[in-house]
Amino acid sequence: MKNSAHVNAAHIGKENSIRVPPWVVADDELPFVLWRSKAREAVVNEWMMGTLLPLYPPPSSSLKKTNGEVCRAISQVIAQDPRAAHDGRGQQSLGDVLFEITFCQLRIGFFVDSAGMAQVVHAQRDMGDLTACPGSYQHSLALRRQAEAQSTTQLQWANPVREGEVDGLWDLANGKIWQPPQNLDCMPSSGCDIKIDDASSCNKSSNDR
């Protein structure tokens, strides 16, 4: 295999050669991660509202976390430079191009400057994507965001959104099940045979009619 690093490992008394891509063993961690004040404030606000559950409960929870822990965890992820090679991994960002990552239910945007330092520019709640495959994380998250926008009270969900898992999507923390209004009455499925015609309705494809 070309362009690979070798790692020797003992296995049942004999040596095996394990081949891995160079980036696996490369020491290319970014030296610093700087935060703009608005981005840090946005993370703290979302944390306090419970957006980062279940990993980072809000301060009212019995599981005490601090806003410093949340921002530090995000910084540690960004310091590993999660950009792919074709997105400029290990290099300065091009112009004003931002790279975004998902952290819990947040979208974090950053760029890498000429000194190799990452700068976190914005943080906002991930709104999901209704055009994504039904049953996917992004599609299920978008449905929940619709529910939260149309509910007259703040919804506390019993389960986090997970890729490929739709059971319990509408279960509430109080033991009840949220009943969507008519224009949201489209439960996600595990297949990709549902097409999204607009942001508020789901219609089966013509093959299923």
Side-chain angles (χ1 to χ4, degrees):
M1 181 186 295
K2 294 182 179 180
N3 298 325
S4 62
H6 291 76
V7 179
N8 291 326
H11 179 63
I12 316 181
K14 77 177 185 179
E15 300 243 332
N16 293 324
S17 180
I18 301 174
R19 295 174 179 269
V20 295
W23 59 266
V24 174
V25 294
D27 183 14
D28 56 0
E29 182 175 351
L30 299 175
F32 296 102
V33 178
L34 306 178
W35 285 75
R36 293 191 179 176
S37 57
K38 288 186 176 180
R40 185 180 292 273
E41 290 171 4
V43 169
V44 172
N45 289 338
E46 294 294 344
W47 164 66
M48 295 182 67
M49 290 189 295
T51 305
L52 305 184
L53 283 167
L55 294 180
Y56 296 93
S60 58
S61 169
S62 59
L63 298 174
K64 296 299 182 182
K65 295 284 185 178
T66 67
N67 55 30
E69 289 179 87
V70 178
C71 293
R72 186 160 52 250
I74 296 173
S75 295
Q76 289 172 347
V77 173
I78 293 177
Q80 299 303 315
D81 199 352
R83 299 175 298 170
H86 63 267
D87 288 321
R89 177 181 173 84
Q91 303 176 21
Q92 177 184 353
S93 299
L94 298 177
D96 297 329
V97 176
L98 294 181
F99 186 80
E100 287 192 338
I101 63 170
T102 296
F103 182 88
C104 294
Q105 293 188 28
L106 295 180
R107 294 292 291 172
I108 311 293
F110 71 94
F111 70 91
V112 178
D113 63 22
S114 58
M117 296 187 295
Q119 297 197 32
V120 182
V121 176
H122 72 79
Q124 59 191 24
R125 187 175 298 194
D126 191 348
M127 299 306 294
D129 183 3
L130 281 174
T131 65
C133 173
S136 67
Y137 174 88
Q138 283 293 313
H139 186 262
S140 295
L141 183 61
L143 291 177
R144 275 201 177 171
R145 292 290 183 250
Q146 277 194 335
E148 293 164 354
Q150 297 200 7
S151 177
T152 56
T153 60
Q154 184 175 0
L155 299 177
Q156 296 290 339
W157 304 106
N159 307 304
V161 177
R162 293 189 176 93
E163 180 72 26
E165 295 186 20
V166 296
D167 291 339
L169 183 64
W170 303 124
D171 291 353
L172 298 173
N174 61 9
K176 297 181 179 180
I177 297 178
W178 184 73
Q179 298 296 329
Q182 186 174 1
N183 66 333
L184 275 179
D185 193 13
C186 176
M187 307 300 279
S189 68
S190 58
C192 293
D193 58 344
I194 295 180
K195 297 183 181 297
I196 306 299
D197 287 346
D198 55 56
S200 62
S201 65
C202 297
N203 297 312
K204 288 189 176 181
S205 61
S206 57
N207 293 335
D208 296 328
R209 292 175 181 170

